[in-house]
């Protein structure tokens, strides 16, 4: 801004020497300076007429359904909050950036949301690796970040400005280890990990710990890289290890291909996984091959709770009949959680907001009742779903 103004002064001085060309330059510079003044006047953050909330999400790329769902849920919450008058006498403005499911992009877009746009808080991301990239930036700037769905413990370990509205993987891993032991009666399990993903590596580790503690045996550990297309080598080796079940803590695109190739190879045991499975794309790609398998996640759209029913109805109405998945519910919860904390803080200032978020003892989320613990993680239940007839069916709820 300063530079443009001094350019304007300089041009004005030069324009004294009668040249028409210089006068035209002067006018142009003036218009540019005015335009940039107006633009920077919009960068109000919490200080203007609206409260600017930044969101980063994978709206395109490999995990696009994660980003689209969490964004739609977040947007619905913001619309409902604004329709009810907003908070502190102001409406919310949601600014969303697409990180394209790509490493490197979260840092870029979150820097921009904070430094250029003046966001008072950041909502995002679903995938743990991408939340881990943005968290240090929010921490350094003293801007609270709320991840809707990243379950790797390291995310909130980044610092005291980083929160989440979901449970963490030590819990999710134990839930699936107990399910394998008690419900599937599995004694031997093979684990197939995406070594490119912090989420997958963490969940594999916690599952193994839980399953061995419950008396089970890990009969094989195999790796893949997210984005691989051919898993036959590892799946053949898994088959010869003769497991009772295979734990695959991956994301839906890879998992669907793994299920297809497992079926082709005659590996006919239950495949089980975590929340990364949850996308209707799992069924679209996987078809028959994903039928009967199980995964843990954050909520069931077919659960009979009034809060879930109201959310599912509102979401379907807003998004052409689409049934909200877990990321959509968690995106919604992340924005509602933020608004609740702003109300309690009576402010959008970073430290006050952080303290209010940290002090949450009970919050009624669509994905269940939750409390924020000393690590800034949400303590709440998980659900287990089964793929049945091309849809996800509720099997059970597991309390922490
Ligand atoms: N928990 C996963 C992660 O941390 C992301 C995820 C959340 C995927 C919810 C699906 C549903 O990377």
């Amino acid at each position: 801004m300063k530079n443009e103004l001094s350019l304007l002064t300089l041009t004005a001085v030069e324009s004294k020497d009668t040249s028409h060309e210089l006068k035209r330059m002067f006018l142009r510079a003036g218009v540019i300076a005015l335009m940039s003044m107006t633009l920077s006047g919009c960068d109000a953050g919490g200080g203007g007429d609206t409260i600017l909330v930044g969101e980063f999400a994978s709206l395109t790329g490999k995990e696009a359904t994660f980003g689209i769902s969490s964004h739609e849920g977040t947007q619905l919450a913001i619309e409902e909050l604004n329709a009810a008058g907003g908070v502190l006498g102001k409406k919310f403005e949601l600014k969303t950036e697409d990180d394209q499911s790509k490493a490197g992009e979260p840092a870029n877009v979150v820097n921009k949301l904070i430094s250029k746009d003046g966001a008072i808080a950041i909502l995002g991301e679903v995938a743990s690796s991408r939340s881990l990239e943005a968290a240090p930036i929010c921490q350094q700037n003293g801007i609270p970040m709320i991840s809707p769905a990243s379950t790797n413990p390291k995310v909130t370990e980044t610092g005291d400005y980083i929160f989440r509205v979901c449970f963490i993987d030590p819990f999710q891993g134990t839930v699936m280890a107990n399910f394998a032991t008690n419900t599937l009666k599995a004694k031997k399990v093979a684990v197939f990990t995406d070594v490119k993903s912090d989420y997958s590596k963490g969940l594999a580790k916690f599952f193994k710990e839980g399953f061995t503690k419950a008396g089970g045996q890990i009969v094989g550990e195999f790796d893949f890289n997210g984005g691989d297309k051919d898993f036959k080598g590892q799946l053949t080796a898994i088959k010869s290890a003769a497991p009772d079940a295979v734990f695959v803590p991956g994301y839906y695109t890879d998992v669907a291909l793994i299920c297809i190739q497992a079926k082709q190879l005659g590996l006919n045991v239950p495949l089980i996984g975590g929340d990364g499975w949850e996308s209707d794309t799992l069924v679209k790609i996987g078809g028959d091959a994903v039928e009967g398998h199980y995964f843990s996640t954050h909520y069931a759209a077919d659960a009979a709770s009034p809060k879930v029913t109201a959310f599912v109805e509102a979401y379907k109405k807003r998004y052409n009949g689409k049934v909200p998945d877990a990321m959509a519910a968690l995106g919604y919860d992340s924005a509602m959680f933020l608004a609740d904390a702003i109300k309690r803080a009576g402010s959008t200032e970073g430290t006050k907001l952080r303290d209010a978020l940290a002090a949450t003892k009970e919050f009624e989320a669509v994905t269940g009742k939750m409390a924020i613990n000393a690590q800034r993680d949400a303590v709440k239940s998980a659900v287990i779903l089964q793929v049945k007839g091309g849809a996800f069916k509720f099997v059970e709820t597991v309390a922490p």
Side-chain angles (χ1 to χ4, degrees):
M1 189 61 144
K2 259 194 196 121
N3 290 344
E4 271 146 326
L5 281 178
S6 54
L7 169 77
L8 187 65
T9 325
L10 195 77
T11 320
V13 171
E14 279 173 15
S15 74
K16 275 190 188 135
D17 101 19
T18 62
S19 146
H20 288 302
E21 183 50 31
L22 279 173
K23 265 188 197 150
R24 266 202 298 274
M25 271 175 63
F26 170 75
L27 277 173
R28 267 204 301 269
V31 169
I32 291 166
L34 271 176
M35 274 171 58
S36 69
M37 268 189 258
T38 323
L39 283 175
S40 55
C42 294
D43 297 342
D49 299 338
T50 55
I51 296 173
L52 193 95
V53 175
E55 184 201 15
F56 69 116
S58 53
L59 298 175
T60 57
K62 197 169 158 286
E63 280 93 40
T65 72
F66 284 174
I68 293 168
S69 288
S70 61
H71 170 64
E72 286 176 350
T74 306
Q75 189 177 40
L76 177 64
I78 297 285
E79 287 169 6
E80 287 182 6
L81 286 161
N82 283 344
V87 289
L88 311 180
K90 291 181 188 182
K91 296 277 170 79
F92 285 102
E93 185 188 334
L94 181 68
K95 178 110 207 257
T96 307
E97 292 285 347
D98 176 17
D99 63 31
Q100 304 159 50
S101 311
K102 258 192 212 154
E105 275 308 302
N108 274 343
V109 298
V110 168
N111 256 319
K112 188 180 151 293
L113 285 167
I114 294 175
S115 310
K116 186 166 163 292
D117 303 319
I120 58 108
I122 298 292
L123 303 178
E125 228 257 23
V126 170
S128 289
S129 296
R130 293 193 283 274
S131 287
L132 277 165
E133 212 186 282
I137 298 167
C138 296
Q139 180 68 26
Q140 278 150 24
N141 283 284
I143 295 294
M145 169 176 142
I146 304 170
S147 165
S150 290
T151 46
N152 187 282
K154 288 184 287 183
V155 173
T156 49
E157 283 166 16
T158 306
D160 59 352
Y161 281 85
I162 316 301
F163 296 84
R164 71 180 110 215
V165 291
C166 55
F167 52 65
I168 55 173
D169 287 332
F171 172 63
Q172 180 167 215
T174 311
V175 164
M176 285 318 274
N178 292 341
F179 177 75
T181 310
N182 302 329
T183 306
L184 300 180
K185 310 276 179 230
K187 304 251 176 306
K188 300 183 295 174
V189 168
V191 177
F192 197 15
T193 308
D194 173 0
V195 286
K196 256 171 112 182
S197 146
D198 291 303
Y199 158 74
S200 190
K201 286 186 288 186
L203 191 51
K205 173 174 170 277
F206 301 120
F207 174 85
K208 281 186 277 178
E209 287 172 8
F211 189 65
T212 343
K213 214 170 125 197
Q217 193 194 348
I218 302 295
V219 290
E221 292 181 46
F222 298 88
D223 295 345
F224 67 96
N225 287 292
D228 284 353
K229 296 285 171 268
D230 184 357
F231 304 91
K232 293 216 177 76
Q234 299 97 311
L235 288 169
T236 305
I238 289 175
K239 195 182 169 196
S240 12
D244 303 318
V246 186
F247 185 61
V248 191
Y251 290 145
Y252 60 89
T253 318
D254 303 317
V255 171
L257 295 179
I258 289 169
C259 291
I260 292 172
Q261 292 173 26
K263 190 170 178 176
Q264 284 166 356
L265 291 169
L267 177 58
N268 294 321
V269 294
L271 268 61
I272 58 179
D275 54 355
W277 283 35
E278 196 177 341
S279 167
D280 48 9
T281 308
L282 179 84
V283 176
K284 275 186 204 135
I285 303 176
D288 272 4
V290 295
E291 280 292 308
H293 298 320
Y294 300 90
F295 62 95
S296 52
T297 188
H298 305 264
Y299 106 118
D302 60 350
S305 112
K307 185 117 187 151
V308 169
T309 313
F311 166 70
V312 172
E313 284 317 307
Y315 188 95
K316 279 166 111 179
K317 203 168 149 210
R318 174 70 176 81
Y319 301 109
N320 306 317
K322 194 171 157 189
V323 176
D325 56 21
M327 284 74 56
L330 289 166
Y332 181 90
D333 286 343
S334 70
M336 287 299 186
F337 176 51
L338 172 66
D340 181 66
I342 295 175
K343 267 185 234 160
R344 284 184 282 119
S347 166
T348 55
E349 192 269 319
T351 44
K352 291 193 182 127
L353 199 47
R354 176 201 61 190
D355 292 346
L357 289 164
T360 310
K361 291 283 164 281
E362 190 175 307
F363 179 73
E364 198 65 58
V366 165
T367 51
K369 208 177 268 178
M370 60 171 248
I372 292 293
N373 66 11
Q375 287 72 44
R376 296 166 301 284
D377 300 322
V379 180
K380 60 203 283 215
S381 298
V383 300
I384 297 174
L385 306 182
Q386 183 179 29
V387 190
K388 241 184 174 172
F392 301 147
K393 293 287 173 228
F394 175 73
V395 177
E396 63 188 58
T397 300
V398 186

